[in-house]
Amino acid sequence: MTETLYARPPVAIEAHPFRGRTLAVINDLNREERLYLYRRTRELKQAHLRGDRRTLDSFRIDDPDFGIYEVFLEDSTRTRESFKNAAHFHRLKFSELNTASSSFNKSESYADTFANLIGYDNRMFVIRSKLEGVCRYLAEKTQQYGRRHNLAGGISFINAGDGRHEHPTQELLDEFTFLEDLDWDDREIHLALVGDLYHGRTVHSKVHGLGLFHKVTVDLVSPPELSMPRSYVEEMQLQGFTVREFGSIEQYLRHGQRPEDSTEIARLWYFTRPQLERMGERVLRRAAELRAAITFDPADIERLARDTIFYHPLPRHREHPTIPVSLDDTPLNGWERQSANGWYIRMVLLAMLAGRIGDDYRGPLGPQQVEDEDFVRDVTNEAGLRGSADQTSPQEQRYSEGIRPIRDGLVIDHIFTAAPPEKIRSHLATLISVMGLHGRGGEWVSTGSNGHCKGLLFRPGHPGLDEYAVRKLAAVVPGATVNVIRDGAVYRKFRLGHPQHIEKLPELICRNDACITHPDNGEQTLPRFIRSRDGHYVCAYCSRKHEFTEVWR
Ligand code: NCD
């Protein structure tokens, strides 16, 4: 019998739309789910401002045994303290791991650390880390742990900022504040993102978060050294956002004043701080100059549209604030209310993930799933081949290895057609290693009649591949054809498309050295990739976009 760590009545997670779910990236809550959260937050905020205790109590988890843990491996004031204050509101068992003196310093893994904390009956973890993708990874790892120990119900991992990747709860409170200032109208937003768009995870979460609005215009205001990574800009464009880029606030304001320019400057400005602690020496030397490009000059107030509001996830630098303190007492100040909204949002989020509220939610559940369409086509019949072993008239197409025709075996053709020869050659080596196709035969790059290069691999005597192996092959050489040769003729033929997911292969690597799956980080786990709409492969943990060939070691 399986040992039970602690007895708890079995909870069917499916019975509640939010209980036990993880928030690793903003899209883990879909648009409808977020709108639900904002509606409930509005309710809670109003009840709080009115002092309506009954309504407040209807949100409270109120369970001294319900454990929530904060694990912060990077500094924080707002995020950590607002979660702590939210936990106090709920009257929970609240704990904080002292990461500076924990066994992380003895090279303990994330998986082991959290397995222990779960063992003390904790149900929710709020985690801030330098490594990216930690919450997704732990949510998956915990499922195995839960099976080992017969744990009922899900454990929630809430990402409180992971490296340069995402900061989904900041995104929730930002969206809530924008809606508050747009009279709860989600049809359209025009937002300027000003500051360090390269390192800032709060603005990276906006790439998907702003999809909450039906029409989006984003003005990116930053010097080139701090500009939004290209893949994020492309992702915004792919979603239909209008994206414009400016090198400094001065350039932006000048642009807005050109009479021929119909699109004026945004009314909502979102500032982010230059993240000096993440910058290299080269950029740091120019810190003053870069800061100047993204610091607002109070003399420019006249150049702003009326009703302009400034936001900032904070902190702001006490000596070099990019929003000068002289603006605190002006109507531009949206950042203080924004910060207070963080507390309301987090109280409601905890209530939802604990299953205290959310029963009445009726919309679609969870992130949009990418379905695996059929990426292996059996074209044996289409090609006019007979799949029967006792065929008497062999098919026309024959493969020969040099001068000798192959009688039995495997031929993989059209490998990486039209790619440069050196790329094909190196990928042939990957193919052999991943599929274990060492041994007799040959592989080379040949030029087809159309002048395009392609890779070919012959394995005479190979007994053929089972269905699993053919599917795995599609992950390695999409676009190729697989021929099983019997008695000198093609007996089975498959055309390989592009799988939606590539995973569970030791040869895979995520190229982001801050990813939890990167070998340098020692967590001993493999990455998993999901095909994007534009044909790239995105790491399921840190969201780094890869070309197909990059995901292979
Ligand atoms: C931000 C963060 O840590 O990502 N702060 C926050 O959570 N409110 C922004 C920052 O550090 O600049």
Side-chain angles (χ1 to χ4, degrees):
M1 217 188 87
T2 329
E3 276 288 309
T4 310
L5 251 191
Y6 43 87
R8 185 187 286 123
V11 187
I13 345 172
E14 315 78 47
H16 190 280
F18 303 108
R19 181 166 35 222
R21 277 174 57 179
T22 279
L23 182 66
V25 295
I26 187 64
N27 266 352
D28 282 337
L29 288 173
N30 68 42
R31 188 173 177 277
E32 266 59 49
E33 292 173 329
R34 280 172 9 232
L35 288 172
Y36 173 84
L37 190 151
Y38 303 145
R39 183 165 67 69
R40 300 308 307 266
T41 303
R42 213 176 148 189
E43 227 176 283
L44 178 93
K45 183 173 179 179
Q46 283 164 358
H48 178 252
L49 298 177
R50 287 198 302 275
D52 171 356
R53 287 196 76 87
R54 257 190 66 198
T55 305
L56 292 179
D57 286 345
S58 71
F59 282 86
R60 278 190 227 276
I61 300 169
D62 208 1
D63 178 354
D65 293 327
F66 189 105
I68 173 166
Y69 237 98
E70 284 199 332
V71 179
F72 274 63
L73 290 129
E74 269 188 359
D75 299 343
S76 172
T77 298
R78 266 145 301 276
T79 308
R80 183 161 56 194
E81 299 305 316
S82 63
F83 266 114
K84 185 193 285 181
N85 281 271
H88 289 325
F89 164 83
H90 283 299
R91 304 188 187 123
L92 305 171
K93 180 183 87 174
F94 174 81
S95 317
E96 281 173 286
L97 181 71
N98 185 343
T99 51
S101 60
S102 72
S103 291
F104 274 122
N105 298 339
K106 301 177 185 168
S107 300
E108 187 168 26
S109 69
Y110 278 80
D112 283 355
T113 302
F114 282 85
N116 287 290
L117 303 180
I118 294 165
Y120 313 145
D121 200 3
N122 289 295
R123 312 298 304 274
M124 261 185 211
F125 294 92
V126 179
I127 304 167
R128 173 168 287 189
S129 57
K130 276 199 173 40
L131 293 188
E132 301 174 11
V134 171
C135 284
R136 172 83 65 240
Y137 165 69
L138 288 172
E140 291 173 0
K141 224 33 204 176
T142 303
Q143 283 178 4
Q144 298 164 15
Y145 178 88
R147 276 195 294 276
R148 281 200 295 278
H149 296 285
N150 234 353
L151 290 194
I155 308 282
S156 297
F157 294 91
I158 302 173
N159 179 5
D162 57 338
R164 297 193 319 231
H165 180 216
E166 281 226 26
H167 193 343
T169 65
Q170 178 72 43
E171 180 58 20
L172 294 175
L173 75 95
D174 291 345
E175 287 173 19
F176 178 80
T177 312
F178 300 151
L179 282 171
E180 211 169 43
D181 291 330
L182 292 168
D183 263 337
W184 308 102
D185 183 350
D186 62 16
R187 276 176 303 177
E188 193 174 334
I189 191 167
H190 181 184
L191 182 69
L193 300 177
V194 186
D196 186 347
L197 310 183
Y198 183 76
H199 300 96
R201 54 195 169 207
T202 64
V203 288
H204 298 165
S205 277
K206 292 201 164 25
V207 170
H208 288 120
L210 290 174
L212 182 85
F213 296 90
H214 293 285
K215 182 166 180 259
V216 182
T217 306
V218 184
D219 295 334
L220 305 174
V221 183
S222 69
E225 292 82 349
L226 303 181
S227 67
M228 183 75 97
R230 239 33 251 169
S231 63
Y232 284 130
V233 177
E234 284 162 17
E235 184 58 30
M236 289 196 277
Q237 287 162 340
L238 217 63
Q239 291 180 80
F241 298 5
T242 303
V243 184
R244 310 186 298 174
E245 294 182 74
F246 305 89
S248 66
I249 292 181
E250 177 51 32
Q251 198 193 330
Y252 186 41
L253 287 171
R254 252 200 330 257
H255 172 88
Q257 272 151 10
R258 283 202 333 232
E260 70 275 19
D261 227 312
S262 56
T263 43
E264 80 300 4
I265 53 170
R267 189 173 74 78
L268 308 181
W269 289 44
Y270 189 96
F271 285 80
T272 60
R273 142 192 99 86
Q275 304 206 354
L276 304 174
E277 75 278 18
R278 297 189 206 271
M279 290 178 194
E281 270 304 309
R282 195 181 56 84
V283 181
L284 270 181
R285 267 197 300 266
R286 302 189 41 227
E289 181 192 332
L290 299 176
R291 197 185 300 118
I294 51 174
T295 298
F296 189 80
D297 178 353
D300 282 332
I301 290 194
E302 269 125 66
R303 301 166 77 185
L304 296 174
R306 261 197 309 125
D307 309 330
T308 297
I309 305 179
F310 284 178
Y311 306 102
H312 197 308
L314 304 174
R316 96 186 135 155
H317 197 286
R318 59 175 169 257
E319 284 168 64
H320 309 289
T322 56
I323 302 180
V325 282
S326 64
L327 299 182
D328 287 5
D329 218 8
T330 70
L332 288 172
N333 185 343
W335 58 91
E336 286 173 356
R337 183 170 35 88
Q338 178 192 3
S339 156
N341 282 343
W343 178 50
Y344 296 116
I345 279 284
R346 287 167 178 135
M347 283 190 272
V348 175
L349 179 68
L350 296 187
M352 284 165 66
L353 300 186
R356 175 71 175 98
I357 63 166
D359 280 319
D360 55 334
Y361 173 75
R362 292 288 171 269
L365 287 182
Q368 248 191 333
Q369 294 294 337
V370 205
E371 290 307 323
D372 246 343
E373 53 198 56
D374 215 357
F375 53 83
V376 175
R377 243 177 68 211
D378 184 338
V379 292
T380 310
N381 292 327
E382 283 173 45
L385 313 174
R386 294 205 198 136
S388 137
D390 59 17
Q391 66 176 62
T392 45
S393 58
Q395 202 265 337
E396 283 307 298
Q397 186 180 7
R398 285 169 188 280
Y399 281 102
S400 54
E401 187 194 10
I403 49 160
R404 256 184 323 143
I406 292 189
R407 281 214 60 75
D408 293 288
L410 184 70
V411 177
I412 306 175
D413 195 357
H414 304 289
I415 296 169
F416 271 28
T417 300
E422 62 282 2
K423 215 168 183 172
I424 300 178
R425 218 162 280 127
S426 101
H427 205 67
L428 280 167
T430 307
L431 164 66
I432 292 166
S433 128
V434 175
M435 298 300 298
L437 288 171
H438 309 277
R440 215 154 60 78
E443 58 279 337
W444 54 87
V445 179
S446 79
T447 313
S449 48
N450 55 9
H452 280 158
C453 289
K454 64 171 185 174
L456 262 164
L457 178 135
F458 285 77
R459 285 296 176 266
H462 193 283
L465 301 164
D466 63 12
E467 194 190 322
Y468 171 78
V470 176
R471 295 179 76 81
K472 182 170 165 186
L473 196 57
V476 195
V477 283
T481 50
V482 185
N483 303 274
V484 180
I485 315 289
R486 293 258 173 94
D487 294 328
V490 177
Y491 168 69
R492 295 293 298 275
K493 191 182 187 89
F494 301 97
R495 200 155 277 141
L496 307 178
H498 293 263
Q500 290 299 337
H501 300 265
I502 306 183
E503 57 190 314
K504 295 187 189 124
L505 299 171
E507 291 81 2
L508 291 173
I509 185 168
C510 172
R511 300 283 164 188
N512 173 11
D513 59 12
C515 180
I516 183 76
T517 68
H518 194 279
D520 289 357
N521 299 322
E523 200 65 32
Q524 314 218 21
T525 187
L526 294 172
R528 189 155 59 79
F529 297 94
I530 304 167
R531 190 170 146 88
S532 64
R533 282 171 295 180
D534 60 351
H536 287 88
Y537 281 87
V538 178
C539 173
Y541 300 94
C542 71
S543 310
R544 171 69 64 93
K545 246 186 188 188
H546 296 73
E547 297 285 339
F548 176 75
T549 44
E550 287 175 327
V551 306
W552 301 99
R553 275 173 201 258

